[in-house]
Amino acid sequence: MEPILIAEAAINGILLGGVLALLALGLNLIFGVVDIIWIAYVELVMLGMYAVYWLVTAYAWPLPLAALAAVALVTVLGLLVHLLIIAPILSSPPVNQLLATGGLLFFLQSFATFLWATDHRSLRLALPILEVFGMFLSFARLLAFAVSLLAMLGLYLFLTRTYMGTAIRAVSQDREAMALMGADARKVYLVTSGIGGAMAGLAGALLIIQYSVHPHFGAAFGPLTFMICVLGGLGNMFGAVVASLLMSEVISVGGIITSTEMAYVVAFVIFIVAIFVRPEGILGKRE
Amino acid sequence: MKRGRTLRVLSLASLALATLAAAVWFYLPAAAQGPTGPIKIGVLYDLTGPFAAAGAVPGSIGTKIAFDMVNEKGGVLGKHKIQTVAGDSQSKPDVAINEAERLLNVEKVDILLGIYSSAIAVPLAEKVDKQNRLLWITIAIADGVFKGRDLKYTFRAQPPGSQFGQLSTRFIADYAQERFKMKPEDVKGAIIYEDGPYGSGVAASGEAEMKKIGMKLVLKEGYSANTPDLASLVTKLKAARPDVLFHTGYNPDITLFLRQAKELGLRVKAIVGHGAGYGQYDKLREALREDVDHIFNVDPVASQLLDPKNYKPAELGKIRDEFLARYKKETGVDQIPPHASMGFNNTWILLTDVLPRAIQKHGGWSPEAIQKAALETDIPEGGTIQGYGVKFAGPGHEMRGQSLRASLVIMQYIGGKTQIVYPKAISTASPVLPLPATSPYAAR
């Protein structure tokens, strides 16, 4: 294998990592703060993709505007999911919470099938081809990576520089103590779910540029996203980014050194070993 | 006196005759009718999940049209109505097996018909056959469904997967000298495939044929149809530098691959797809615009491409046109996918050839009667709307239950239209080969 092609695979891996990180971040934020795993998270991403698709194809909206609308829409959906499904079961046993969000997953898949049939829908975009020093890079991935990076930076600044962000981090560190100190946990939960929804909407807007959307879109990204969250340490944002890059490099570079199927085997073996050695995730806190 | 006796004898004789006639009148129709009531058929396709849009739904619509057209004429033989019970296998083998169980043992259907995915057909066929029930496969192609299993009650008129890889490889070998200025042995081919029984079966047959011809196999690699990324596979293909890419996949994976192949600058002389996602031209074009032009697809022919003059009997042309008109009306599509023809044609063969003989000659539509009638099926080439004939392999054959007269064609998308380009005898256009410079995948 020529070195240039390995370099190309490595760079494409980093770009894939950016997309995976965006997916994992929203999910991990919600888990860290609300302490519930939204199994249906990637289904919200799918709704974001559909929103952009329909606004662009049926209503001829310009893509950036449609993307903003999708972010707004999925933010509202995130809030609704919290208010209607999560809030009533906050103190239920974890297995019930999992079942409830799992039920939401099947509901959203079936509802999307009912509304839009099982067709695969794609935006017809003519994206430029980027060739840098003999390496080909995906423009859609580059764009997604750049926007993901900005979103992560924005999230970081929000969490560290604002009062609400500090409250969110405080709740994720010690929810009982925060309640005892008179903080309004409900508001913190709601804002977190909104941000989680916005991240899902943004991911949807970036994914529709490169993927077809269909009601079972979640099957491609769902398992990988959860694996990354667990590997990085559930609730640990920085860990999620590191785990995304690790997984995407294993898939990309491993894929060209061995085979596409073997790269996934290696990725899952790394996952299993990592969970044995550090059950709290590679960057998780030991309790 | 003599006259009176004659009269009495005559009247007795006429009474006896009348009684006999009455008896015959009462008994005969009943005997000719055989079993009564409707023929109950369970129809199992992937109506949801990723396979739905990769051909399963078009197939199910084709099947439904065949039932409608037969029922509107009173049913099989004009008097046995068909009652269908639909099942949805949701693109998942475990769901398919549960649904089959429901249709066979709760709904008590006489026949189970349909099946799009080979991943479903392979485990299902054995289970249904063990229960001595009848399975009529319309779309799934994997050889593994029949090979070495000696299934008694499973039948398939559709061509088997091994023919797909064979035909695509022969096609390239046939044109190598003329179009590539290369000997077939010098052509470098790469095979990529989804790693279920469908993709791996087609890939294996392509590899075997390449070996036979002496063509160079520079890369053979499978991937999961659900994979979120195929960039590294594209990079690897670029390193292997094949002249021809043979690809077998479903739908989201084909779109993803072609997109990433364009972005990452993969260049080849030809791309040959093998059915499923490659048969859905409308869907591919929606996602990739004219980038899909000049890609080849191996499939049982989409019946609208055949010249009705070659049909025997000639009325088949009318049936085909009626089916096409109904399909267009129902779906509004422009390019009718081959799967629609498969769903219609393979159901039509059961309803108009096998079942009438089962009823008339073998006493009804029990699995036993149908399997006897199916083994007697002898439709010559040109006798179905997809052009191929039907003759099922019988007991003792390695592929028992598979039709041995099924055949495939290679189609190409040229200027927004589907054309048959191979075999040469029935081609509607000469293949555009190698890929023209307008294609983003064309070698430069």
Side-chain angles (χ1 to χ4, degrees), chain A residues 62-86:
Chain A
L63 187 59
L65 201 61
L68 284 178
V71 172
L73 177 81
V74 186
T75 305
V76 173
L77 285 177
L79 295 174
L80 285 177
V81 168
H82 182 77
L83 289 174
L84 299 178
I85 296 167
I86 307 296

Side-chain angles (χ1 to χ4, degrees), chain A residues 15-41:
Chain A
L15 298 184
L16 174 68
V19 179
L20 292 176
L22 189 64
L23 282 167
L25 268 182
L27 185 66
N28 233 356
L29 176 71
I30 294 169
F31 180 80
V33 176
V34 192
D35 201 22
I36 281 184
I37 303 174
W38 283 21
I39 296 284
Y41 191 74

Side-chain angles (χ1 to χ4, degrees), chain A residues 160-183:
Chain A
T160 51
R161 302 286 159 86
T162 65
Y163 180 77
M164 194 63 203
T166 310
I168 287 176
R169 281 188 300 139
V171 170
S172 79
Q173 279 163 14
D174 194 333
R175 71 187 55 247
E176 275 87 29
M178 270 303 280
L180 289 175
M181 294 167 103

Side-chain angles (χ1 to χ4, degrees), chain A residues 19 32 51 65 71 87 108 110 148 166 169 181 215 222 252 256 258 266 270 283:
Chain A
V19 179
L65 201 61
V71 172
L108 291 178
S110 311
S148 298
T166 310
R169 281 188 300 139
M181 294 167 103
S252 290
I256 68 161
T258 59
V266 173
I270 290 178
L283 291 179

Side-chain angles (χ1 to χ4, degrees), chain A residues 61-133:
Chain A
W61 284 32
L63 187 59
L65 201 61
L68 284 178
V71 172
L73 177 81
V74 186
T75 305
V76 173
L77 285 177
L79 295 174
L80 285 177
V81 168
H82 182 77
L83 289 174
L84 299 178
I85 296 167
I86 307 296
I89 53 166
L90 267 177
S91 50
S92 307
V95 68
N96 291 10
Q97 299 172 338
L98 263 180
L99 286 174
T101 58
L104 178 66
L105 179 149
F106 288 115
F107 170 77
L108 291 178
Q109 277 185 357
S110 311
F111 195 61
T113 307
F114 169 72
L115 281 183
W116 304 303
T118 51
D119 292 344
H120 307 115
R121 298 175 194 275
S122 322
L123 286 183
R124 287 178 152 215
L125 296 172
L127 296 171
I129 293 172
L130 299 178
E131 194 183 343
V132 190
F133 305 122

Side-chain angles (χ1 to χ4, degrees), chain B residues 261-275:
Chain B
K262 181 182 176 184
E263 287 175 339
L264 302 180
L266 176 68
R267 306 264 185 259
V268 289
K269 293 192 171 96
I271 299 176
V272 189
H274 301 83

